[in-house]
Amino acid sequence: MPPAAAPAQGLARRDVRRFSLVGIVWDDPESELHGRVQVRTRAAGTTKWSAWQDVDTHNHEHAADPDTTERASGRVRGSTAPLWVGDSDGVEVRVQGQADGRAAGADGRAVVAEPLPKGMRVELVDPGAEPPLQGPEPDASPANALTAESAGSAASSAVNADLAPLGATEIAALSEEETRADLLATRGEGTDPPGPTDATDATDATDPTSTPGTTDPAGTKDTVGEKEAAGEKEAADKADAAAAAQRAKPYIGARPRIVTRRGWGADEGLREPDFSYTKTVKAAFVHHSASGNNYSCAQAPSVIRSIYRYHVKSSGWRDIGYNFLIDKCGNIYEGRAGGVAKPVMGAHTRGFNSNSTGIAVLGSFGTANPPAATVTAVARLTAWKLGLYGANPRGKTYLKSGGGNLYQKGKNVRLNVISGHRDGFATECPGSRLYAKLGKARADSARYQGR
């Protein structure tokens, strides 16, 4: 007797309030949904229903690191990826557990490999109203700008005050010369960026797993006092020279235009009021949002507002998980609040959120090719962001795992400075088609930095 299909659960076709994004959440964030989730929706104000669409069920790898305050808040729930469906007022859902391949039992039902998570419910997200097109008045004083905004909006804007006026809807692009001058001016007020051995392992000189005191072919040990001292001095000299060159002419790409949280219409009252930071930025992880490709660039702010609300209200996170988002036209958006130039702690790559930044390309790229504009935007954004911290986009670096399904907690892992999500966690993200473009992104990013 052939294996039977697992029984399906779901939500029968029904009228609902208007929404544009849908997902499934459940009680325990440590439980996974092993099976298939499909939805179909009705376009608002019509009788037209869509075909069945698959929802990406593997979303637990996009999360805060284990043992962090955000993860242990008690508010976090398990969830699928969100799916953008556009303006809709009807929904139907079916969830089918994954059968384990055994033949059906006496009742004719398939044997499900693992039970479906408890407390499953459908989340329907309305992106809300579009933000106003205009920003603050050109002559608006900081005091007036602050009194015109909520406390959350003011704080979110203030952390970018060195880059744009308070209340600005975008951070303007700079030329290469302006970017370098800005970095040198800022550096004069703070500290130097990390040297090559701190941020970028271009030559494997800082492998934390290497063992000092090797044996030569003849079987005699190297003398610690001579060879190791000479090697250390040579490495130190190279690091000093590289740091001096970096100070004289930093390797950094021109700052790209970035749409601020105010620009895409973030409701700052949803997120946690404070900001969370890590120490530095040694790597960038590239993701796809897995929310589908059926959106226009004009709709991108609505998609981001929906993902933000899904991450915070539906999934229980402190803020949107990604540090930056990029739409299919190559527009770059500020993600998690805290300042686009600062080392903001995200919730994008479970186990590797410390000392990294997360960039999500809006869309699904398992079988669809990413638009060229998005790959270019990844390269330009990383050339600037990684350049602020002295990191080489073509290099390697070490990150300490916070715990995941590829690397145990505490393990030092050697990764590309520009990595895909799947490099740090066993996942399909960022989709095979986008992942295949990361080599080009690394090369272009390094070229934009002047390397």
Side-chain angles (χ1 to χ4, degrees), residues 349-396:
T349 306
R350 183 173 177 175
F352 292 102
N353 291 306
S354 292
N355 299 330
S356 71
T357 193
I359 302 167
V361 179
L362 296 178
S364 302
F365 302 107
T367 58
N369 288 320
T374 65
V375 180
T376 298
V378 168
R380 291 199 177 277
L381 174 58
T382 53
W384 172 71
K385 180 71 176 186
L386 293 172
L388 293 173
Y389 296 89
N392 180 356
R394 285 185 305 205
K396 305 280 187 179

Side-chain angles (χ1 to χ4, degrees), residues 398-430:
Y398 282 90
L399 294 177
K400 182 174 289 188
S401 173
N405 64 1
L406 276 183
Y407 303 104
Q408 64 183 11
K409 183 177 180 179
K411 181 177 176 60
N412 283 307
V413 182
R414 186 171 183 261
L415 294 161
N416 287 309
V417 168
I418 298 179
S419 282
H421 186 182
R422 63 175 64 179
D423 295 320
F425 201 98
T427 173
E428 290 298 314
C429 184

Side-chain angles (χ1 to χ4, degrees), residues 375 393-394 418 434-445:
V375 180
R394 285 185 305 205
I418 298 179
L434 178 55
Y435 188 78
K437 297 292 185 181
L438 295 188
K440 175 175 173 52
R442 294 182 192 106
D444 288 350
S445 181

Side-chain angles (χ1 to χ4, degrees), residues 84 86 289 291-301 303 326-330 333 361-365 371 374:
W84 176 262
S289 64
S291 51
N293 302 317
N294 296 322
Y295 72 95
S296 68
C297 293
Q299 291 175 314
V303 177
I326 295 172
D327 70 22
K328 62 175 63 176
C329 290
Y333 301 83
V361 179
L362 296 178
S364 302
F365 302 107
T374 65

Side-chain angles (χ1 to χ4, degrees), residues 66-405:
D67 302 326
T68 59
T69 302
E70 181 172 3
R71 185 71 178 178
S73 68
R75 298 188 302 271
V76 179
R77 290 179 284 275
S79 62
T80 67
L83 179 68
W84 176 262
V85 294
D87 191 14
S88 305
D89 60 10
V91 67
E92 184 176 4
V93 180
R94 63 188 182 194
V95 180
Q96 191 165 37
Q98 179 178 314
D100 71 356
R102 284 181 284 173
D107 61 358
R109 291 177 175 268
V111 180
V112 179
E114 290 188 35
L116 293 170
K118 295 180 179 179
M120 287 193 301
R121 63 181 182 273
V122 180
E123 291 286 307
L124 305 175
V125 181
D126 177 4
E130 293 293 326
L133 295 177
Q134 72 278 4
E137 294 296 328
D139 60 348
S141 67
N144 288 337
L146 283 170
T147 55
E149 293 182 331
S150 68
S153 296
S156 179
S157 182
V159 287
N160 289 319
D162 291 341
L163 310 179
L166 289 171
T169 56
E170 66 177 56
I171 295 168
L174 295 181
S175 67
E176 292 181 17
E177 293 75 13
E178 290 170 330
T179 302
R180 289 195 176 96
D182 183 69
L183 177 60
L184 291 171
T186 303
R187 194 180 294 168
E189 302 171 1
T191 59
D192 290 341
T197 57
D198 293 322
T200 305
D201 174 34
T203 61
D204 289 349
T206 60
D207 185 349
T209 63
S210 62
T211 304
T214 57
T215 302
D216 65 21
T220 59
K221 287 190 175 181
D222 298 337
T223 58
V224 174
E226 294 180 2
K227 282 194 174 183
E228 289 192 359
E232 290 174 2
K233 183 178 186 305
E234 182 180 3
D237 289 345
K238 286 182 178 179
D240 289 343
Q246 174 77 342
R247 283 192 293 269
K249 185 180 179 182
Y251 289 117
I252 187 170
R255 187 179 78 199
R257 171 182 173 269
I258 302 172
V259 178
T260 65
R261 289 172 64 91
R262 178 166 183 170
W264 55 260
D267 178 350
E268 300 294 355
L270 294 180
R271 64 172 175 83
E272 291 290 316
D274 57 334
F275 306 128
S276 180
Y277 297 100
T278 184
K279 293 180 180 179
T280 186
V281 177
K282 299 170 68 176
F285 285 97
V286 178
H287 306 256
H288 67 172
S289 64
S291 51
N293 302 317
N294 296 322
Y295 72 95
S296 68
C297 293
Q299 291 175 314
S302 295
V303 177
I304 296 171
R305 289 196 305 277
S306 298
I307 293 174
Y308 171 45
R309 183 173 287 271
Y310 186 75
H311 282 180
V312 177
K313 301 295 287 185
S314 303
S315 304
W317 300 0
R318 63 175 293 117
D319 194 351
I320 193 170
Y322 308 113
N323 298 101
F324 297 93
L325 301 99
I326 295 172
D327 70 22
K328 62 175 63 176
C329 290
N331 297 305
I332 300 169
Y333 301 83
E334 177 183 14
R336 181 163 286 206
V340 297
K342 300 181 186 297
V344 177
M345 172 79 86
H348 48 84
T349 306
R350 183 173 177 175
F352 292 102
N353 291 306
S354 292
N355 299 330
S356 71
T357 193
I359 302 167
V361 179
L362 296 178
S364 302
F365 302 107
T367 58
N369 288 320
T374 65
V375 180
T376 298
V378 168
R380 291 199 177 277
L381 174 58
T382 53
W384 172 71
K385 180 71 176 186
L386 293 172
L388 293 173
Y389 296 89
N392 180 356
R394 285 185 305 205
K396 305 280 187 179
T397 193
Y398 282 90
L399 294 177
K400 182 174 289 188
S401 173
N405 64 1

